[in-house]
Amino acid sequence: MADAQFGSAAPLPQGGIDDVELYHPHSWLTKYVFSQDAKIIAIQYSMTAMAIGLVALVLSWLVRLQLGFPGLVSFIGPKEYYQLITMHGMIMVIYLLTALFLGGFGNYLIPLMLGARDMVFPYVNMLSYWIYLLAVLVLVASFFAPGGPTGAGWTLYPPQAILSGTPGQEWGIVLMLLSLILFIIGFTMGGVNYVVTVLQARAPGMTLMRMPLTIWGIFTATILALLAFPALFVGAVMMLLDRLLGTSFFMPAIIEAGQRLRYGGGSPILFQHLFWFFGHPEVYIVALPAFGIVSDLISTHARKNIFGYRMMVWAIVAIGALSFVVWAHHMYVSGMNPYFGFFFATTTLVIAIPTAIKVYNWVLTLWRGDIHLTLPMLFAIAFIVTFLNGGLTGLFLGNVVVDVPLSDTMFVVAHFHMVMGVAPILVIFGGIYHWYPKVTGRMLDERLGQLHFWATFLGAYAIFFPMHYLGLMGVPRRYFDIEGLSFATPSVATLNAFVSVVAFLVGAAQIAFLFNLAHSLRHGAPAGGNPWRATTLEWQTPQTPPPHGNWGPALPVVYRWAYDYSVPGAAQDFIPQNQPDIRPDRSPGPVAAPA
Amino acid sequence: MALVLVLIALGSIAFHLLSPWWWTPIASNWGYIDSTLIITFWITGFVFTAIVLFVAYCLVRFRHAPGRRAAYEPENRRLEGWLTGLTALGVAALLAPGLFVWNQFVRVPQNASEIEIVAQQWRWAYRLPGADGRLGASDIRHVSDENPLGLDPQDAAARDDLVIDADLHLPLGRPVKVLLRSTDVVHNFYVPEFRAKMDIIPGMVTYFWFTPTRTGTFDALCNEVCGTNHYAMRGRVVVEGEAAYSSWLREQTTFANFAGGGERGRRVARREAPPVR
Ligand code: HEM
Ligand SMILES: [Cu+2]
Ligand SMILES: [Cu+2]
C-alpha cells in the first residue's frame, strides 16, 4: 500500500511529445514580448504584479501617514484617504497576489514541475497576460480621471459606491468595475490553461498523487477562482448597469441630499452575497498556492519528505470545497437573516480543522529533519508563525457572536493582513529566493536577503500584532480620523505612530529586495541546475534557465513522488522524481530505465 | 531564528497581558460575548504558544550539522488522527458557547421596547414610540424637509411618535429592540460599550437588541463605510436612571408638532458635513 503510494510501481511510461510540435518564435518580438512561452509569460505577469504592488505599498505608506500622524500632510483629506485605502486593498488582493500566484508562479511552475513542454493553449495564455495588463492600465488610469479613483472601499458596497457622497463617483468606480471585468476575462483564459495542463499534459509517470503540493495548491486555487470570479463578474456588470444606465439591481429607493433618486426596488444585500461568494474563496485563491509552495520549501530545505502527503492533498481539496459555503461570515452583522449565523459559524469553524492539519504537518516535517536555515526556509518559518497567528484570530471572527463587537474594527484589519497579506507575501518572497536560481541561473545575494527577511518578518509582525488590540477597544476601520472618540487616548495615538514608523521601515526594506533582484541578475553567484538539491522536475531540466520547450529532445519520465528526501539507504539525501532506481530497502530489484 | 521565535511567543503573551489597550468597560447585557472572547483568547493563545515554541525547539534540535540526516517518515496515521481529533474538540469548545450566545442574540425578549434609529449621510436621527407605545408607519415616499424620517402623516400611530434630532437617551436596565433604517446608503450603528452592532440597509429594516446596564454617555459610531464623511458620522447615547429618563422624555417633540417646525427638518435633511469636534 505505502509502496504503491510513494514508491515506483507505475508501469513503464512511454516517451513524450516531440519537440517539433511546439510553436517556435521567430523574432525577438514574439520571443520576449508577445511570447507564448509560459515561462516568459510568468515573468511578465510577475513584473507587472510587482510593479503595481509597489504602487499599493506606497499607498499604504500614505494611509499610515494619516493614521500615525493625523493632519501632518495637507494633501490627504478624507476624500483622498478613502481613495487610498480602496486602491491599496484592491491592488494588493487582486492585481498583486492573485496575479502573482497564479499568473506568475502558476505559469512558471506548472509545466516545469509536471514535465510538460508548455501550457496546453499557449496562445490563449499569452492573451491572458495582455488582458491582465490592460486591466492594470485601466485601473491606473482611474488615478488620473476627473474626480480620481473610487473611494468606496475595496468591497465596493452599493449604493454608496455609485452615489455622489463617495469619492470617484464620476469615473473612478466605472473604471474600477471595467478593470475588474477585464481582469476576470484575462484570468479565465489563464485559468483554463492551468487546469487543462495539469489534467492533460503531465509527463509519463506523473500521477496526480505524485504531483508536488505546489501544483496541488495552484491547481485547486485555479478551480476555485474559475468558480468564484463569475460571481464578482456578475456583480460588477450589474453595478455598472446601475451606474451607467440607471437600472436598479442593487439600488432601493434612495433620498440623496434631500433629492429622491430614480432608483427603486433593488437589493444592496444581494451585492454583498455576490461579492463574498467571490470574496471568501478569494482568500483561498491566495492561500492555497501559498500552502503548496511553502510545503515544498519546507520539505526541500529540511531535507525531509513532507509529512502526511495524502492528508495534505485532501486538506487542500477539503478547504477548497468548504470555502464555498462560508461566505456569509463576512455578513454576520449585515442585516441578513440572523439565523444564517448558526450555519455559517459552523462551516467556518469546521474549515479550521483541515487548515490546522496543514499547520501540524508543516511543523512535523521540521521534526527530525535536517534543517538548513536558507532564505527560503526562513521565509517559510515566518509564514508558519504569521499564518498561525492570523488563522487563530480567524476563529474569533468566524465565531459569529465574537465577531459582533469586532467586525469592521482594526481587529479585522490586523487579522486579514496577517493571514492573507503578510503570510502569502512571505511565501512569495520565499518562493522567489527559491526559484530565482532556476529562472536566471544565478543565486540571490544572501546578506541582502537576510536584511530583507528580518526587516520584513519582524516589522510586519510589529505592525499587525498590536493592531488587534486597537480593534478590541473599538477603533473602527476605514476611519480617516478617530479624533474625539472617548477611547482615542494619547496611548492609542502613540501606538498608531509606532505602527506607522515600522510600516515605513518595512516598506524601505523592500528596496533591498528589488536591488537584489536586479543586481544578482548579472552579479549573483552561478547557481547550477539544482542548487538546493531538490527532487522535483523543474530542477532536473537539461539547461538552466530552461529554454523554450523545457526538456530538449525527450520528456522526463517520472518514477516516484516529489518527496524522496533522506531515503534510508540511498546514496544522496534526495532522489529526483525522474530517477528510476528504487530505494533498495523497500522493493525488489531496480526497474530498467527507458531508452 | 529559534531565539526570535521564543521571543515572539513570549513577547506576544507579555503584550497581551501588559499593554494598556483593551476593551472598553462593558455597559450592556452582552457580558456573554466578552466571556466567549476570553475563552477564545485562552484556547488560541495556548495553541499559538505551543506551536511556535515547538517550531523553535525543532530549529535548535534538528538544525543541520555535518553528517546529520533527516528521518524518513511519510505518514503516521495515529498521530494525524489524534491531532485531527484534538483540533475538532478545540473547535467544538469554541463553537458551542459561541452558538449558545448567538441564540440569545437573535431572540429579542418579549418585553423589549422598540426604538428606531434612522441613518443618513452623515448623521443620526431617532424615533421613540408615543403614548400608544407603537412606532407608526413610515415610507421613503413621505420624506421631505418637514418630515425627514418619512413618517406617514395619515397614520395616527406615527403622529404621536417622538422624533429626536439630538443625543439618544435610554433608560437603565430595560431591554430595547433597536430598529434600523437608512434613507440612502449602508451604515452601521455601533456603541463599543454595548458590544452589539448592526448594519443599516436602505430599503429594509434591520434590528438588534440589548439592555443597557451602566449609566453614562457613550459614543456611537457609524461602522460601515458610507462615503467621504463616514468617519465623522458620530452620535451619542445617554443611559440614565428612570427619573432622569422620564423628564428627558417629556421634553421631546412628537411628529405632529415636529412637522410644524420645518426649519429643524431642513437641517436634518441637509447633507452637510457634521460639525467637526
Ligand atoms: C506593509 C504592508 C501593508 C501595510 C502597512 C498596510 C496597511 C493598511 C492600512 C493602514 C489599511 C487601512 C485600514 C483602515 O483604516 O481601514 C489597509 C487596508 C487594506 N489592506 Fe493593507 N497594508 C499592507 C499590505 C497589504 C497586503 C499585502 C494586502 C493583501 C491582502 C493588503 C490588503 C488590504 C485590504 C484588502 C485593505 C482594506 C481596504 C478597505 O478597507 O477597503 N494590505 N492596509
Ligand atoms: Cu471569508
Ligand atoms: Cu454612515
Side-chain angles (χ1 to χ4, degrees):
Chain A
M1 175 68 221
D3 258 19
Q5 191 58 43
F6 304 109
S8 50
L12 265 191
Q14 310 300 309
I17 316 167
D18 280 341
D19 199 22
V20 279
E21 280 188 23
L22 279 181
Y23 161 85
H24 280 294
H26 301 293
S27 70
W28 186 86
L29 206 63
T30 47
K31 192 161 177 199
Y32 293 110
V33 181
F34 296 102
S35 171
Q36 302 185 20
D37 183 342
K39 295 188 295 300
I40 305 280
I41 297 174
I43 293 167
Q44 292 173 324
Y45 252 114
S46 305
M47 306 256 276
T48 312
M50 287 203 280
I52 192 73
L54 220 55
V55 173
L57 180 72
V58 172
L59 299 184
S60 81
W61 276 355
L62 297 176
V63 174
R64 279 311 327 176
L65 195 63
Q66 167 61 23
L67 289 180
F69 309 96
L72 187 68
V73 290
S74 57
F75 62 86
I76 307 180
K79 169 172 177 284
E80 291 76 21
Y81 180 82
Y82 287 111
Q83 293 172 324
L84 289 173
I85 59 168
T86 305
M87 298 308 275
H88 160 77
M90 192 66 100
I91 292 176
M92 285 289 189
V93 174
I94 307 274
Y95 300 85
L96 172 67
L97 290 180
T98 309
L100 193 50
F101 270 122
L102 300 180
F105 283 90
N107 264 314
Y108 201 86
L109 294 176
I110 291 173
L112 276 171
M113 284 190 138
L114 294 179
R117 295 209 178 275
D118 204 328
M119 288 290 180
V120 169
F121 311 118
Y123 185 79
V124 180
N125 208 22
M126 174 185 77
L127 277 187
S128 159
Y129 169 71
W130 291 101
I131 298 178
Y132 163 64
L133 183 64
L134 185 63
V136 171
L137 292 177
V138 171
L139 188 78
V140 170
S142 76
F143 282 100
F144 304 100
T150 177
W154 88 283
T155 46
L156 304 178
Y157 280 5
Q160 55 100 9
I162 59 174
L163 293 185
S164 67
T166 297
Q169 186 236 10
E170 305 88 336
W171 284 84
I173 183 68
V174 175
L175 292 174
M176 170 63 85
L177 294 171
L178 279 177
S179 172
L180 285 174
I181 289 172
L182 285 170
F183 181 92
I184 295 169
I185 294 174
F187 168 77
T188 306
M189 295 181 164
V192 167
N193 249 307
Y194 315 152
V195 171
V196 178
T197 304
V198 170
L199 292 179
Q200 297 294 327
R202 301 190 307 277
M206 178 65 86
T207 59
L208 286 178
M209 291 309 270
R210 281 178 176 176
M211 295 198 307
L213 287 169
T214 297
I215 301 298
W216 269 110
I218 294 175
F219 175 60
T220 316
T222 306
I223 294 178
L224 294 194
L226 288 174
L227 295 174
F229 270 122
L232 179 65
F233 188 88
V234 168
V237 168
M238 289 182 175
M239 206 200 299
L240 207 55
L241 294 176
D242 280 3
R243 166 67 183 78
L244 295 177
L245 300 185
T247 55
S248 289
F249 291 104
F250 304 129
M251 306 296 278
I254 286 171
I255 309 270
E256 188 193 38
Q259 296 298 310
R260 175 82 191 268
L261 301 183
R262 288 168 54 204
Y263 289 116
S267 163
I269 269 199
L270 175 62
F271 177 84
Q272 301 186 13
H273 281 295
L274 288 172
F275 184 86
W276 290 114
F277 189 87
F278 144 78
H280 187 83
E282 170 63 28
V283 174
Y284 288 99
I285 292 167
V286 170
L288 291 181
F291 289 176
I293 291 170
V294 88
S295 307
D296 288 348
L297 297 188
I298 292 176
S299 171
T300 305
H301 296 270
R303 317 305 300 159
K304 185 159 172 262
N305 61 75
I306 193 77
F307 182 79
Y309 173 79
R310 280 182 291 184
M311 273 290 230
M312 291 299 251
V313 171
W314 289 119
I316 287 182
V317 174
I319 291 171
L322 282 172
S323 74
F324 278 102
V325 289
V326 299
W327 78 88
H329 62 206
H330 298 272
M331 299 170 59
Y332 287 143
V333 294
S334 70
M336 68 176 180
N337 185 331
Y339 283 88
F340 281 170
F342 292 104
F343 175 78
F344 285 103
T346 308
T347 53
T348 301
L349 265 67
V350 166
I351 279 206
I353 298 174
T355 312
I357 290 174
K358 298 203 71 80
V359 175
Y360 300 146
N361 286 4
W362 291 321
V363 173
L364 288 171
T365 303
L366 294 173
W367 169 250
R368 295 166 66 198
D370 172 23
I371 300 172
H372 294 246
L373 284 184
T374 55
L375 286 167
M377 184 57 134
L378 290 178
F379 278 103
I381 293 167
F383 163 84
I384 296 182
V385 174
T386 49
F387 181 76
L388 179 64
N389 191 293
L392 289 170
T393 52
L395 292 173
F396 290 69
L397 301 172
N399 201 358
V400 55
V401 74
V402 184
D403 178 62
V404 170
L406 298 177
S407 77
D408 262 302
T409 65
M410 286 315 247
F411 189 97
V412 175
V413 175
H415 155 73
F416 72 68
H417 275 91
M418 276 284 190
V419 80
M420 81 167 305
V422 176
I425 292 243
L426 289 171
V427 174
I428 286 177
F429 288 141
I432 291 177
Y433 284 98
H434 184 77
W435 278 295
Y436 185 87
K438 179 53 60 177
V439 179
T440 65
R442 291 184 184 271
M443 307 295 287
L444 282 166
D445 184 74
E446 174 81 15
R447 272 190 314 185
L448 279 176
Q450 292 274 348
L451 173 74
H452 175 227
F453 169 73
W454 289 108
T456 307
F457 171 43
L458 296 181
Y461 198 82
I463 294 171
F464 293 114
F465 183 76
M467 202 184 272
H468 291 94
Y469 292 83
L470 293 180
L472 196 62
M473 294 179 88
V475 176
R477 78 189 267 210
R478 294 169 169 170
Y479 258 42
F480 166 70
D481 195 347
I482 56 172
E483 176 71 32
L485 290 176
S486 63
F487 45 79
T489 55
S491 77
V492 167
T494 312
L495 182 57
N496 264 326
F498 165 79
V499 166
S500 293
V501 170
V502 181
F504 302 148
L505 294 178
V506 170
Q510 307 314 311
I511 297 171
F513 174 66
L514 294 177
F515 176 78
N516 203 349
L517 285 185
H519 185 77
S520 303
L521 203 55
R522 283 282 183 81
H523 305 282
N530 189 0
W532 310 116
R533 296 178 297 126
T535 57
T536 40
L537 288 183
E538 81 277 23
W539 299 105
Q540 324 303 335
T541 52
Q543 291 175 50
T544 298
H548 187 53
N550 296 346
W551 305 104
L555 283 183
V557 175
V558 174
Y559 295 92
R560 58 189 67 247
W561 70 326
Y563 300 99
D564 265 342
Y565 288 103
S566 304
V567 178
Q572 285 183 300
D573 69 351
F574 72 106
I575 310 179
Q577 282 191 277
N578 60 345
Q579 186 170 313
D581 59 313
I582 299 184
R583 299 189 303 275
D585 60 325
R586 283 254 180 166
S587 311
V591 173
Chain B
M1 184 77 196
L3 183 66
V4 171
L5 292 188
V6 174
L7 289 178
I8 286 181
L10 300 182
S12 301
I13 298 175
F15 185 92
H16 179 87
L17 297 176
L18 302 178
S19 84
W21 304 290
W22 192 241
W23 59 40
T24 49
I26 193 166
S28 83
N29 59 316
W30 291 121
Y32 275 137
I33 293 185
D34 285 3
S35 315
T36 318
L37 224 149
I38 291 293
I39 298 177
T40 317
F41 261 125
W42 272 103
I43 295 183
T44 56
F46 173 78
V47 173
F48 181 72
T49 316
I51 293 185
V52 172
L53 289 181
F54 183 78
V55 173
Y57 168 76
C58 289
L59 292 190
V60 176
R61 177 70 183 69
F62 305 110
R63 178 92 189 257
H64 173 68
R68 159 159 212 89
R69 204 165 170 134
Y72 188 81
E73 188 189 28
E75 295 190 329
N76 181 335
R77 282 286 178 79
R78 276 238 330 249
L79 182 60
E80 291 175 76
W82 267 102
L83 287 173
T84 311
L86 279 178
T87 310
L89 219 67
V91 163
L94 293 175
L95 192 59
L99 293 188
F100 173 77
V101 180
W102 184 246
N103 193 39
Q104 303 182 331
F105 194 86
V106 299
R107 281 170 208 259
V108 185
Q110 290 296 317
N111 61 342
S113 53
E114 294 195 340
I115 65 164
E116 184 182 68
I117 299 180
V118 182
Q120 69 178 103
Q121 287 173 328
W122 291 281
R123 58 158 65 236
W124 302 104
Y126 311 95
R127 177 159 69 116
L128 301 180
D132 61 354
R134 291 198 302 122
L135 289 169
S138 67
D139 192 304
I140 197 160
R141 276 175 302 145
H142 302 304
V143 174
S144 66
D145 281 0
E146 281 69 34
N147 185 1
L149 303 191
L151 305 191
D152 184 348
Q154 311 302 327
D155 184 359
R159 292 174 58 80
D160 71 347
D161 288 350
L162 305 176
V163 177
I164 294 148
D165 180 33
D167 298 350
L168 173 67
H169 287 229
L170 291 173
L172 182 70
R174 281 213 307 232
V176 273
K177 176 178 185 182
V178 185
L179 300 170
L180 300 153
R181 208 149 56 78
S182 162
T183 55
D184 43 36
V185 305
V186 181
H187 303 268
N188 180 305
F189 187 81
Y190 178 41
V191 176
E193 285 85 351
F194 294 159
R195 302 295 188 258
K197 63 161 76 101
M198 191 54 70
D199 273 5
I200 312 172
I201 313 277
M204 63 189 269
V205 179
T206 57
Y207 69 90
F208 69 102
W209 78 274
F210 66 97
T211 309
T213 54
R214 183 158 67 83
T215 56
T217 304
F218 306 106
D219 287 324
L221 336 169
C222 180
N223 203 199
E224 184 64 73
V225 67
C226 60
T228 309
N229 287 316
H230 164 56
Y231 73 99
M233 183 163 163
R234 317 230 180 125
R236 224 173 290 146
V237 179
V238 178
V239 176
E240 57 198 1
E242 207 62 53
Y245 179 72
S246 314
S247 65
W248 171 81
L249 203 58
R250 272 194 299 279
E251 290 167 16
Q252 304 310 309
T253 348
T254 63
F255 170 51
N257 296 340
F258 189 88
E263 177 46 37
R264 199 170 172 189
R266 265 187 291 283
R267 200 153 40 79
V268 179
R270 215 161 35 223
R271 196 183 64 182
E272 61 202 9
V276 178
R277 314 203 250 165

